[in-house]
Amino acid sequence: MMKSTVFSAVAVSIGYTLLGWDFTTVLEANIHMKKEFDLNNGPSIDGIILAVSVFGSIATTVFAGSLLDWLGRRAALVYSSLLLISGGLLMVWSPNIYILLLARLIVGSGSGLVFTCVPIYISETSPPDMRGSLGTMPQFMFFVGIVFSYCLIFWMTLMPSPNWRIMIGAIFAPSMVYFALLVLYLPESPRWLVSDGKISEARISLQWLRGKDDVSDTSAGEIALIADGMNMISDTPVGGHAIGTVRSQSFLGTNISQMSRHSTFYWHLSDPLVDFLGSIHESMSELGAGRNSYFPVFNSFNIVEQERTSEQRGNDSVHQQTREAYSAEEGNNGDNLQASLLSHVATAEVNDINASFTSEGSSSYLRRHGTSTSGLAQDLISSLHDHDIEEDDEEIHVAALSSQPTLDMVNTGLHPFRQQMVRLSETADIKPKWRVLLQPGVRHALCYGMLIQALQQSAGISGLLRYTPQILEEVGVVSLFSDIGLDSHSTSILISALNALLMIPCITAAVMLMDICGRRALLLVSIPILILSLATISLSNVVEMGSLVHEIFFQLSLTICFCSYVVGLGPIPNILCSEMFPTRARATCASFCSLTFWFGRLLSIYCFPVMLSTIGLSGACGIYALVCCMVLVFVYLRVPETKGLPLELIAEIFKFSKQECL
């Protein structure tokens, strides 16, 4: 059912492969281009060549939020691939240093768009129970790009005169493949289409992403939730009753334990959302993945095969009850339909919950309770389900790529609300407003997103990854492979490639565990390992030991450091920054978080070589270990668990204050 969703996530993540390629090759190419352009006189030229692409990323990221909301996610990614192609071709040509710097600036601009847009696209197209795993895919592809680039560099270092233009300019070839995939196979984000008023196009896109057989019931509930969630940044709260109901239910068993912590130091420092969402996930795990009595709307698009099989037996009786209930209440579609979809779903009676929100009954539930749903959601569900889908997969895919409704879907159908939905897509003016950033829930999430990105870069792993070959040469690890007949530089490249290759299984484990253990749990487990490995690296260069023991000890510690990073602190900040914001503000807020990331990377590029020359590798790793301790405290006190929750509900939960969670 989700093959198209997985394919889209993998295809769009190829952009991170290009980021990993460029991240690795530029430092090696810098050594050779300095000789050709006679740039050895000024040491600052190293930093300029390395940092100019970061400046391009920063410049693009400033406008990335507006571009993503104006053009759409897919179009922005297409333009980013064009920037990478043109920048790569310019680097292959590069007759002088000025053209080279311009090419680096263009590549950095494309990288900024890719870095901001890819996590947003994956989060908006993935179902809640797969969003964490698919959101880890960019990190996986990033290290795939690093492995390929190290292989290319290693092969070229064996040549008498390596061609540095091929090292950095060859990025244009995979960029062309990336462009073709984006244009031919990638649909637009359904959430962006809904936010732009294009309901019919959103339905087509979601149909292709979820599968043709799945769209008739499951995707209708998902689109209704997205459409109802568009009001979350307005003055009227949409999900207030839903959250209130969950708060009263999920905190029923933990109220006494929380009251005992109100006067503790922990309570004053921690965010109540950590405990609030933790109690929800505990209750969800106790009830099982098949049913969720706190948020029954999950069951309308979280499909479990066992449920599908069991519900098939009573299919005829369910459809009969649906027709009777819908015909009995069809006349109640008056002007007094003010309650939201979320508030009604969360306050539904238990007997309705157990029978309605399944893969075959989500629309039945909404129709039977149409008098309590919002007018938009009710009309949307009725309009979607009165039209039988008869197109084949190829036609659906073409319609999704073109982001235009088919003539049959727009102009035919028996439901009178169809033309209202068409007029909504033509006249909607719900573009994002900057004022949304000042609202409490968005401001709360934005502060957390920017802070966790800053802390990630402050941990210094980006510097260690970029300068791994030089570090291995200085420490002497290359002597372990002296018998293979390579010089020290080629050996350091080979060892770096092996280190990157060892990270692939660790990222694969993170992909598998992200939606099982959760983001918060992986951070709390992996960060202590990262701290210990950094501290071990620092101590290994201080404590006296034999050269062979020191080299083996250092290499093991460095490998563990990288592996623990890619499991937790590497991919999770981007996942969180793509989950915490409402749809209309997601691109703008994510661009602010990306700005924090790029500024942190810029400081890391300049600070790490300075730290190596002043306090040495031991001092640098010791400082990074202390920073990781701060990251661990921040995660424990302030980062809530977001696995398995719809994006609209996560954005709504962040609106609640400490007093409301009591």
Side-chain angles (χ1 to χ4, degrees):
M1 282 297 183
M2 297 296 176
K3 289 181 179 179
S4 298
T5 303
V6 175
F7 174 80
S8 297
V10 173
V12 79
S13 297
I14 294 177
Y16 268 63
T17 305
L18 305 177
L19 298 188
W21 184 300
D22 186 70
F23 177 84
T24 307
T25 55
V26 64
L27 192 63
E28 177 66 21
N30 189 37
I31 300 174
H32 304 283
M33 70 179 67
K34 286 170 58 180
K35 298 178 182 178
E36 179 175 335
F37 293 139
D38 194 18
L39 302 174
N40 293 317
N41 295 330
S44 60
I45 195 64
D46 292 343
I48 293 176
I49 294 175
L50 293 176
V52 68
S53 60
V54 180
F55 283 121
S57 300
I58 292 174
T60 305
T61 305
V62 171
F63 306 101
S66 299
L67 287 174
L68 292 178
D69 287 324
W70 176 42
L71 300 174
R73 288 32 168 166
R74 175 174 175 264
L77 286 169
V78 171
Y79 286 126
S80 70
S81 64
L82 292 175
L83 288 173
L84 292 171
I85 292 173
S86 58
L89 291 174
L90 274 179
M91 287 189 293
V92 172
W93 178 46
S94 301
N96 53 59
I97 187 63
Y98 303 105
I99 298 297
L100 175 64
L101 293 177
L102 176 62
R104 295 297 305 157
L105 190 67
I106 295 174
V107 169
S109 301
S111 300
L113 272 179
V114 169
F115 182 83
T116 304
C117 189
V118 168
I120 294 176
Y121 182 87
I122 292 177
S123 69
E124 291 184 345
T125 56
S126 303
D129 58 344
M130 297 176 62
R131 193 173 61 243
S133 297
L134 297 181
T136 314
M137 190 61 62
Q139 184 80 3
F140 178 89
M141 300 300 286
F142 180 82
F143 281 94
V144 169
I146 288 180
V147 171
F148 278 118
S149 63
Y150 272 133
C151 292
L152 175 65
I153 294 172
F154 176 73
W155 173 66
M156 299 195 75
T157 55
L158 300 179
M159 298 180 177
S161 57
N163 191 333
W164 61 267
R165 288 181 175 84
I166 298 298
M167 288 184 188
I168 57 177
I171 193 175
F172 85 89
S175 297
M176 295 179 67
V177 177
Y178 188 46
F179 172 79
L181 289 174
L182 295 177
V183 172
L184 298 177
Y185 295 103
L186 198 71
E188 183 54 87
S189 164
R191 281 179 167 83
W192 180 83
L193 291 171
V194 172
S195 70
D196 203 41
K198 301 175 181 177
I199 306 298
S200 298
E201 293 92 324
R203 176 178 179 265
I204 298 173
S205 177
L206 198 61
Q207 177 182 354
W208 187 81
L209 288 167
R210 298 293 184 263
K212 180 179 177 180
D213 297 335
D214 185 31
V215 75
S216 59
D217 293 299
T218 302
S219 296
E222 190 170 355
I223 291 181
L225 182 65
I226 296 171
D228 199 61
M230 288 300 105
N231 296 322
M232 284 187 175
I233 66 172
S234 63
D235 296 332
T236 303
V238 173
H241 294 89
I243 306 300
T245 302
V246 176
R247 181 169 61 246
S248 62
Q249 292 177 349
S250 62
F251 275 17
L252 185 62
T254 59
N255 190 39
I256 298 177
S257 61
Q258 286 194 5
M259 290 297 293
S260 63
R261 288 202 305 244
H262 285 179
S263 59
T264 63
F265 185 66
Y266 166 82
W267 175 254
H268 293 288
L269 290 178
S270 67
D271 192 325
L273 291 180
V274 175
D275 294 323
F276 178 50
L277 286 172
S279 63
I280 291 175
H281 286 290
E282 289 176 4
S283 302
M284 290 169 60
S285 61
E286 291 175 1
L287 293 171
R291 288 287 171 201
N292 184 0
S293 63
Y294 292 112
F295 297 103
V297 74
F298 293 177
N299 299 317
S300 65
F301 51 89
N302 287 344
I303 302 176
V304 181
E305 285 300 325
Q306 293 93 350
E307 292 184 359
R308 182 183 292 273
T309 304
S310 62
E311 292 293 337
Q312 189 68 30
R313 299 175 182 176
N315 200 13
D316 296 336
S317 61
V318 169
H319 283 305
Q320 182 64 28
Q321 294 175 4
T322 300
R323 296 190 191 96
E324 295 175 358
Y326 181 60
S327 60
E329 296 189 7
E330 192 175 12
N332 294 330
N333 299 331
D335 297 331
N336 59 345
L337 305 180
Q338 301 297 330
S340 69
L341 174 66
L342 285 178
S343 61
H344 178 74
V345 169
T347 55
E349 295 180 356
V350 175
N351 58 347
D352 290 326
I353 295 170
N354 292 334
S356 302
F357 275 87
T358 64
S359 59
E360 298 293 336
S362 60
S363 61
S364 304
Y365 179 86
L366 293 171
R367 287 180 173 178
R368 287 203 309 271
H369 299 83
T371 57
S372 298
T373 58
S374 63
L376 174 62
Q378 182 183 358
D379 298 348
L380 175 63
I381 292 297
S382 301
S383 177
L384 291 179
H385 284 277
D386 282 332
H387 181 78
D388 294 327
I389 303 168
E390 298 178 354
E391 308 96 321
D392 58 18
D393 291 339
E394 183 177 357
E395 292 173 344
I396 293 171
H397 186 203
V398 172
L401 289 175
S402 62
S403 298
Q404 296 293 332
T406 60
L407 183 63
D408 179 60
M409 292 184 62
V410 175
N411 296 326
T412 63
L414 301 177
H415 199 276
F417 291 107
R418 178 171 303 280
Q419 297 302 323
Q420 295 182 16
M421 304 310 296
V422 175
R423 287 196 297 272
L424 173 63
S425 65
E426 294 174 350
T427 61
D429 185 16
I430 50 177
K431 297 295 183 180
K433 305 295 190 297
W434 284 93
R435 60 181 175 84
V436 71
L437 301 180
L438 302 178
Q439 295 192 0
V442 179
R443 185 173 66 245
H444 185 186
L446 181 58
C447 291
Y448 278 17
M450 295 178 67
L451 186 56
I452 195 170
Q453 290 283 16
L455 290 174
Q456 181 206 45
Q457 289 303 303
S458 300
I461 308 302
S462 296
L464 287 173
L465 281 171
R466 184 182 287 273
Y467 291 93
T468 297
Q470 289 85 334
I471 292 173
L472 294 176
E473 286 189 61
E474 292 179 6
V475 174
V477 177
V478 294
S479 63
L480 295 174
F481 298 84
S482 58
D483 296 336
I484 61 178
L486 298 175
D487 58 27
S488 61
H489 184 64
S490 298
T491 304
S492 66
I493 298 296
L494 179 61
I495 298 174
S496 300
L498 294 176
N499 281 336
L501 191 61
L502 288 174
M503 298 180 212
I504 301 298
C506 298
I507 307 175
T508 305
V511 170
M512 299 172 63
L513 296 175
M514 195 64 68
D515 287 310
I516 299 176
C517 300
R519 295 79 157 128
R520 175 180 166 85
L522 287 179
L523 285 173
L524 293 177
V525 171
S526 62
I527 294 178
I529 300 175
L530 179 61
I531 294 172
L532 291 175
S533 60
L534 287 171
T536 303
I537 293 174
S538 179
L539 292 176
S540 66
N541 291 306
V542 176
V543 178
E544 292 292 337
M545 60 181 71
S547 60
L548 181 61
V549 176
H550 171 256
E551 292 162 5
I552 296 175
F553 202 59
F554 178 87
Q555 176 59 35
L556 289 176
S557 301
L558 188 65
T559 302
I560 294 174
C561 173
F562 289 155
C563 291
S564 59
Y565 174 79
V566 299
V567 170
L569 198 56
I572 292 178
N574 278 353
I575 296 176
L576 293 176
C577 289
S578 65
E579 291 179 330
M580 298 186 296
F581 310 112
T583 300
R584 294 190 210 172
R586 184 170 295 119
T588 302
C589 293
S591 65
F592 276 92
C593 296
S594 298
L595 274 176
T596 307
F597 171 88
W598 289 115
F599 275 116
R601 173 160 289 187
L602 186 63
L603 291 175
S604 176
I605 290 174
Y606 276 103
C607 291
F608 187 74
V610 175
M611 294 172 69
L612 288 179
S613 61
T614 54
I615 60 177
L617 184 62
S618 297
C621 291
I623 293 175
Y624 292 152
L626 292 177
V627 173
C628 289
C629 291
M630 297 171 56
V631 178
L632 181 62
V633 173
F634 173 76
V635 170
Y636 180 73
L637 296 177
R638 296 284 175 171
V639 176
E641 182 57 71
T642 58
K643 70 170 183 176
L645 301 179
L647 296 177
E648 289 72 24
L649 195 57
I650 297 173
E652 181 70 13
I653 288 175
F654 266 93
K655 295 169 68 173
F656 286 86
S657 63
K658 190 167 186 174
Q659 289 75 20
E660 289 176 307
C661 288
L662 293 177

